[in-house]
């Protein structure tokens, strides 16, 4: 009789725990489904905007960076939304380890986005200055333009590295050695 009571209490406890978890589980699944839909829609919108504005054509036309920028940004947008949905679902289910992992992944992705923006702006500025200096047709303008391109590109990379968690001390010291020599 005692074994039957123990088994009955155990089954009852498991069933009650499941019933308490069920609303949270349904909410988490709904958030994941909505996140999947929102990610696909926002990724498509981002790709459409980039193609419509001509930014993708401008990057490909210059042949400096041979990538399909619209597809990369659309994928990045979709994955950020997916990870945000996963983070909210894990918050609802109160899964601490997964919450921390997704938070770290999101932090890294945002760092990569920030670093990419720094490098792209630096690269664009370096290209613009190189072309402007070379078009002046002064003595050594070609060499000065290329030097400015390298220096500005180097600085933009040195500024971007801490955004993704890489210590830039070695890069900064290397710049000091180059400048000092």
């Amino acid at each position: 009789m005692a074994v039957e009571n123990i088994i009955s209490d155990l089954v009852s406890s498991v069933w009650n725990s499941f019933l308490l978890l069920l609303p949270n589980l349904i909410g988490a699944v709904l958030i994941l489904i909505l996140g999947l839909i929102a990610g696909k829609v926002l990724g498509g919108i981002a790709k459409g905007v980039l193609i419509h504005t001509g930014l993708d054509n401008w990057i490909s036309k210059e042949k400096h960076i041979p990538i399909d920028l619209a597809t990369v940004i659309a994928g990045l947008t979709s994955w950020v939304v997916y990870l945000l949905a996963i983070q909210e679902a894990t918050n609802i289910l109160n899964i601490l380890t997964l919450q921390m992992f997704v938070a770290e992944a999101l932090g890294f992705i945002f760092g990569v986005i920030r670093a990419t923006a720094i490098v792209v702006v630096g690269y664009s500025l370096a290209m613009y200055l190189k072309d402007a200096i070379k078009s002046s047709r002064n003595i050594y303008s070609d060499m000065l333009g290329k030097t400015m391109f390298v220096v500005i590109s180097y600085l933009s990379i040195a500024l971007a590295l801490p955004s993704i968690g890489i210590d830039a001390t070695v890069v900064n010291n290397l710049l000091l050695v180059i400048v000092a020599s």
Side-chain angles (χ1 to χ4, degrees), residues 100-141:
M100 292 186 324
F101 174 75
V102 173
E104 287 290 324
L106 279 170
F108 181 75
I109 287 175
F110 288 133
V112 168
I113 292 170
R114 188 177 14 210
T116 303
I118 291 169
V119 169
V120 167
V121 168
Y123 181 81
S124 301
L125 179 65
M127 283 300 298
Y128 173 77
L129 287 176
K130 180 181 93 168
D131 292 342
I133 291 170
K134 284 174 73 172
S135 68
S136 69
R137 305 249 186 245
N138 291 332
I139 189 167
Y140 301 118
S141 63

Side-chain angles (χ1 to χ4, degrees), residues 78-170:
S78 295
W79 275 101
V80 165
V81 174
Y82 299 156
L83 285 173
L84 287 172
I86 291 170
Q87 184 178 34
E88 285 306 311
T90 57
N91 287 343
I92 286 175
L93 294 175
N94 201 19
I95 304 172
L96 186 60
T97 306
L98 198 53
Q99 288 173 344
M100 292 186 324
F101 174 75
V102 173
E104 287 290 324
L106 279 170
F108 181 75
I109 287 175
F110 288 133
V112 168
I113 292 170
R114 188 177 14 210
T116 303
I118 291 169
V119 169
V120 167
V121 168
Y123 181 81
S124 301
L125 179 65
M127 283 300 298
Y128 173 77
L129 287 176
K130 180 181 93 168
D131 292 342
I133 291 170
K134 284 174 73 172
S135 68
S136 69
R137 305 249 186 245
N138 291 332
I139 189 167
Y140 301 118
S141 63
D142 186 48
M143 185 178 67
L144 181 61
K146 289 178 182 178
T147 303
M148 287 301 294
F149 175 79
V150 169
V151 169
I152 292 172
S153 297
Y154 186 91
L155 288 175
S156 67
I157 291 170
L159 288 172
L161 288 176
S163 295
I164 55 175
I166 297 174
D167 187 21
T169 305
V170 173

